[in-house]
Amino acid sequence: MDNSKENSNYTPIACAAYDIYEIAIMYQQILDLVWLDDEGSSRQDLVLAQDLRIINGAEYLVAQRLVDGAAAEPFMIRLDKIKTVKAQEQAKPL
């Protein structure tokens, strides 16, 4: 998938917001996220934040959805598509 066109309209997020994601990764916090998917529809999920990546100038959160308390396959959300984020709790050890 060529992200270069998709990323050409990326809007950088505030440093304070980026810090929230870094802290969530360090402390394995579960996040309650609301974001816009590729079709522009609003989504809400509980996720376990895993990493931050920059691809073609756009910043992404790598996370796993939590389904019935178990982590699903990792996926990426472009940071400027995230509308709200709330830290829930620290993840339980596996």
Side-chain angles (χ1 to χ4, degrees):
M1 177 173 142
D2 180 17
N3 290 328
S4 57
K5 183 178 177 188
E6 174 186 324
N7 294 339
S8 65
N9 62 355
Y10 177 74
T11 303
I13 65 166
C15 291
Y18 196 87
D19 290 347
I20 291 170
Y21 302 118
E22 287 183 320
I23 291 167
I25 292 164
M26 284 189 320
Y27 292 103
Q28 297 185 328
Q29 288 179 314
I30 295 170
L31 301 176
D32 184 356
L33 296 182
V34 175
W35 80 96
L36 299 177
D37 66 17
D38 292 339
E39 288 78 40
S41 298
S42 183
R43 303 273 317 251
Q44 181 174 7
D45 278 303
L46 291 178
V47 303
L48 179 60
Q50 294 188 313
D51 197 7
L52 292 163
R53 296 199 182 145
I54 298 174
I55 300 172
N56 296 324
E59 299 166 303
Y60 290 84
L61 174 67
V62 179
Q64 289 179 290
R65 284 184 187 92
L66 297 178
V67 180
D68 296 327
E73 289 295 313
F75 71 108
M76 293 193 302
I77 306 171
R78 207 171 82 177
L79 295 186
D80 65 339
K81 299 293 183 179
I82 298 173
K83 299 306 172 193
T84 64
V85 57
K86 290 188 278 185
Q88 295 295 305
E89 60 184 67
Q90 189 169 345
K92 309 292 184 266
L94 297 176

